[in-house]
Amino acid sequence: MEYLIGIQGQDFVLVAADNIAANSIIQMKQDQDKMFKLSDKILLLCVGEAGDTVQFAEYIQKNIQLYKMRNGYELSPKAAANFTRKNLADYLRSRTPYHVNLLLAGFDETDGPGLYYMDHLSALAKAPFAAHGYGAYLTLSILDRYYRPDLTRDEAVDLLKKCVEELNKRFILNLPSFTVRLIDTEGIHDLEKLMPVGAKLLAPAPSS
Amino acid sequence: MALFDVSGYKSHAGLRGQILGTGVGHLVDRPNQEFAVPVGVDPSGFLKSCSREGGVSIDLNHGTTTLAFKFRHGVIVAVDSRASAGSYIASKEANKVIEINPYLLGTMSGSAADCQYWERLLAKECRLYKLRNKQRISVSAASKLLCNMMLGYRGMGLSMGSMIVGWDNKGPGLYYVDDNATRLSGRMFSTGCGSSYAYGVMDSGYREDMTVEEAYELGRRGITHATHRDAYSGGVVNLYHMQEDGWIKVCKEDVSELIHRYRKGMF
C-alpha cells in the first residue's frame, strides 16, 4: 500500500514517499510525512506495520542524536545505516520484532551521496536506486531503463515523475500525493509535493 | 504494589538505573507501570486460542462508532453507546467518552476494559503532570503518553482505538491513538467497526466553515447513519463540543428517534 523511492545522483540523493496513513480499507490521514530527519544530511524513510514504523524510526532518530551529544560529531550515513540494521536485526528474533521497510539516504563529506535499502528481515544494501512497497513492482523496471549515474537534479526529478505517473496509471490504490526531498552537500531540501494528475486528494491540504 | 515488591521481580527500569546511573531518575515523567506477571503467562497465545472455533469466542472487533472532527469553531466529538459482547448487547448506555479534565476528552472503542483502564491511567498521568509542572498538559503530550503505554504492551492483545481531543496553547488538538501504538494528528477521524459508514457521511457533508449547529448536526448524522448500518453500534449519540474555554456536552439523543427523523421517506 505504501511506497518509497530513492534515486542517487553524482552529488545528491532524491527521495520520495507517499502521504497516506491507512487502516485496513480506510485512509485515516492524507498528509502523513514518512521521512525522519536523523541528522542535517541523513533522512530515514520508513514504512511497514502500523505503530512499528514511527516507533522504530523515532527510536533510531533519538539514538543518532544521542550519539552526537555524547561524542561531539555525527554518524556518517554508512554508520547510521549499519546501526539501524543492527537494531532491526537484534529485534528480529525477539518477542516483538519490528516489521518495517526502510530507505536511508544521506550525504557524506568524504564518500559523497549514499542510498541504503533495508528490509524487514534486516537485509542492508547500498544501491543507486531503490523502492519499497507494491509500487516497486511497477517502477523498478522504469528505474532500470532510464537511470544513469550522471543524472542531473532535474533529470532525477523527471525520472521520479515517470515512476509516480506509472503508479497513477496502473496501481489500483489511489496515492494522490508524494513528499519529495533532496539531500546534497548543503543539507536537506524540501521539493514541491508531487500530485499526479487525475489522482484525487480527499480534502484540501490542511494547514497543520 | 505489594505483590510487586514481595515477588522480587527485577524490573528493567531498575537495570536501566544501574547502566545510566542514578540522577537520571525523573527525566522521563513515567512511573513504573509493569504488572508482576508470573513466568510462562502468554496473553497473546491465550487470546488466539479464544478467538477461533472450538473455544469461547472473545470477538475483539472494535464494536463501536466514534467520530471527531475539527472545524472553525473547535472540535466536535460524537460517540454511540452500545457495548456488545459477541452478539449480546451488554449495555445500551455505555459511556464511551472519558472526561480527563475540562480541556481534554478521550474516546473509547475496542475492548471496554482496556479503554477504561488505560484512559483512566492517562487521566491520572495528566493530573500528575499538572501538579508537577504547574501547567496543563498539551494534547500532543497526552496522546504520546497513551501511545507509549500501548507500546509497552505491544503484541500482548490489547484492543483500543481512541481519540484524544483537547484545546491547548497551540489551539484545538485531535489525535488518534490505537493499540498498535499508532498515533496520528489530523482534522477528522472515526474509529470502530462503524467508522467506514461515519466517514462516508462526514466526508460528504463536511465544510471547514460550518456553523456550530451544522457541525452538531453532522456529528449526529455520522453516528446515526453508522448505527443504522452497523450491528455493533447503537443506543444514544453522546455529542461534545471542545471550545477554547473547555468542552461542553451538547446532547444525548436516541439513534432510533434520530434515524426515523432523517429517513422519513424510508419507513
Side-chain angles (χ1 to χ4, degrees), chain B residues 67 69 76 78 201-202 205 210-225 237 239 250-251 253 258 261-262:
Chain B
L67 64 87
F69 58 88
I76 299 292
V201 169
M202 275 204 295
M210 282 185 291
T211 65
V212 172
E213 277 309 316
E214 286 173 338
Y216 290 167
E217 191 55 18
L218 188 66
R220 265 192 290 260
R221 281 259 181 187
I223 296 293
T224 307
H225 287 282
V237 179
L239 190 64
V250 176
C251 71
E253 289 180 44
L258 284 170
R261 228 197 303 152
Y262 296 149

Side-chain angles (χ1 to χ4, degrees), chain B residues 52 142 184 190 202 212 217 241:
Chain B
R52 293 280 173 260
L184 299 171
S190 176
M202 275 204 295
V212 172
E217 191 55 18
H241 181 185

Side-chain angles (χ1 to χ4, degrees), chain A residues 31-58:
Chain A
D31 58 352
Q32 175 82 326
D33 190 1
K34 302 181 187 182
M35 303 194 194
F36 296 84
K37 188 175 155 186
L38 298 189
S39 79
D40 286 332
K41 293 184 191 172
I42 308 181
L43 273 178
L44 181 69
L45 286 73
C46 190
V47 292
E49 199 175 305
D52 285 359
T53 50
V54 176
Q55 298 297 344
F56 183 74
E58 283 189 354

Side-chain angles (χ1 to χ4, degrees), chain A residues 115-181:
Chain A
L115 177 67
Y116 294 86
Y117 171 98
M118 212 174 320
D119 74 0
H120 66 277
L121 296 171
S122 191
L124 173 66
K126 186 173 188 305
F129 56 84
H132 273 300
Y134 286 121
Y137 287 97
L138 292 163
T139 52
L140 278 173
S141 52
I142 300 180
L143 293 165
D144 282 326
R145 167 70 179 86
Y146 293 105
Y147 175 81
R148 287 179 345 264
D150 60 349
L151 285 173
T152 66
R153 283 165 173 71
D154 288 331
E155 286 171 342
V157 173
D158 283 337
L159 181 52
L160 181 63
K161 279 187 181 151
K162 267 200 181 74
C163 293
V164 163
E165 291 300 333
E166 177 64 12
L167 288 183
N168 192 31
K169 186 167 180 231
R170 289 286 182 188
F171 192 39
I172 48 165
L173 295 187
N174 185 32
L175 295 174
S177 81
F178 295 81
T179 305
V180 185
R181 293 205 166 99

Side-chain angles (χ1 to χ4, degrees), chain A residues 2 11-12 25-26 28-29 39 47 73 88-89 95-96 103 107 119 152-153 157 172 174 182 188 192 197 200:
Chain A
E2 303 175 285
D11 56 352
F12 67 90
I25 56 164
I26 306 273
M28 298 214 72
K29 206 167 137 98
S39 79
V47 292
Y73 63 93
L88 204 52
R95 261 191 331 106
T96 53
L103 285 183
F107 192 94
D119 74 0
T152 66
R153 283 165 173 71
V157 173
I172 48 165
N174 185 32
L182 185 128
I188 301 173
E192 215 181 274
V197 176
K200 293 244 160 79

Side-chain angles (χ1 to χ4, degrees), chain A residues 29 51-52 55 58 96-97 206, chain B residues 144 147 154 180 185 187 199:
Chain A
K29 206 167 137 98
D52 285 359
Q55 298 297 344
E58 283 189 354
T96 53
Chain B
K144 194 90 178 177
C147 176
R154 217 175 125 235
N180 38 27
S185 164
R187 301 179 61 83
Y199 272 120

Side-chain angles (χ1 to χ4, degrees), chain B:
Chain B
M1 290 188 270
L3 184 60
F4 195 83
D5 293 325
V6 158
S7 64
Y9 178 71
K10 228 189 196 72
S11 68
H12 77 270
L15 203 60
R16 192 178 71 194
Q18 284 173 34
I19 296 170
L20 290 177
T22 56
V24 277
H26 292 286
L27 264 177
V28 178
D29 192 53
R30 270 190 65 219
N32 221 341
Q33 276 164 10
E34 286 134 356
F35 294 118
V37 172
V39 175
V41 166
D42 177 22
S44 40
F46 163 71
L47 282 168
K48 274 196 191 82
S49 69
C50 288
S51 52
R52 293 280 173 260
E53 45 301 339
V56 174
S57 177
I58 304 179
D59 206 354
L60 291 181
N61 279 325
H62 294 209
T64 297
T65 312
T66 70
L67 64 87
F69 58 88
K70 285 191 204 174
F71 72 120
R72 183 166 294 183
H73 303 287
V75 194
I76 299 292
V77 181
V79 302
D80 77 312
S81 69
R82 176 171 293 182
S84 46
S87 57
Y88 171 66
I89 297 179
S91 166
K92 56 185 169 72
E93 293 216 18
N95 190 9
K96 299 186 188 182
V97 174
I98 178 169
E99 298 157 3
I100 296 172
N101 66 43
Y103 290 81
L104 259 186
L105 290 174
T107 67
M108 310 187 199
S109 72
S111 153
D114 283 337
C115 287
Q116 285 176 359
Y117 179 83
W118 293 107
E119 294 197 26
R120 277 203 77 180
L121 195 62
L122 176 65
K124 180 192 110 174
E125 287 301 319
C126 291
R127 177 72 183 139
L128 282 175
Y129 182 98
K130 182 163 184 216
L131 289 169
R132 287 184 182 129
N133 301 289
K134 297 209 179 129
Q135 54 171 240
R136 242 184 275 115
I137 193 171
S138 67
V139 190
S140 173
S143 61
K144 194 90 178 177
L145 278 177
L146 186 61
C147 176
N148 288 336
M149 290 176 201
M150 292 298 108
L151 186 64
Y153 289 88
R154 217 175 125 235
M156 292 196 217
L158 288 184
S159 168
M160 184 200 80
S162 149
M163 293 180 295
I164 305 299
V165 180
W167 198 301
D168 58 22
N169 302 335
K170 297 192 198 107
L174 172 56
Y175 285 84
Y176 167 78
V177 178
D178 79 9
D179 49 79
N180 38 27
T182 299
R183 175 175 164 266
L184 299 171
S185 164
R187 301 179 61 83
M188 179 193 288
F189 288 114
S190 176
T191 70
C193 51
S195 64
S196 51
Y197 306 114
Y199 272 120
V201 169
M202 275 204 295
D203 283 331
S204 48
Y206 178 85
R207 281 177 1 258
E208 204 274 338
D209 58 352
M210 282 185 291
T211 65
V212 172
E213 277 309 316
E214 286 173 338
Y216 290 167
E217 191 55 18
L218 188 66
R220 265 192 290 260
R221 281 259 181 187
I223 296 293
T224 307
H225 287 282
T227 57
H228 180 59
R229 285 290 178 182
D230 177 31
Y232 296 101
S233 303
V236 301
V237 179
N238 283 310
L239 190 64
Y240 290 76
H241 181 185
M242 179 67 67
Q243 298 164 317
E244 188 160 4
D245 50 358
W247 55 261
I248 54 166
K249 178 144 189 199
V250 176
C251 71
K252 175 179 169 145
E253 289 180 44
D254 194 315
V255 293
S256 42
E257 282 159 33
L258 284 170
I259 197 70
H260 276 85
R261 228 197 303 152
Y262 296 149
R263 309 290 300 278
K264 271 217 174 66
M266 276 297 284
F267 302 112

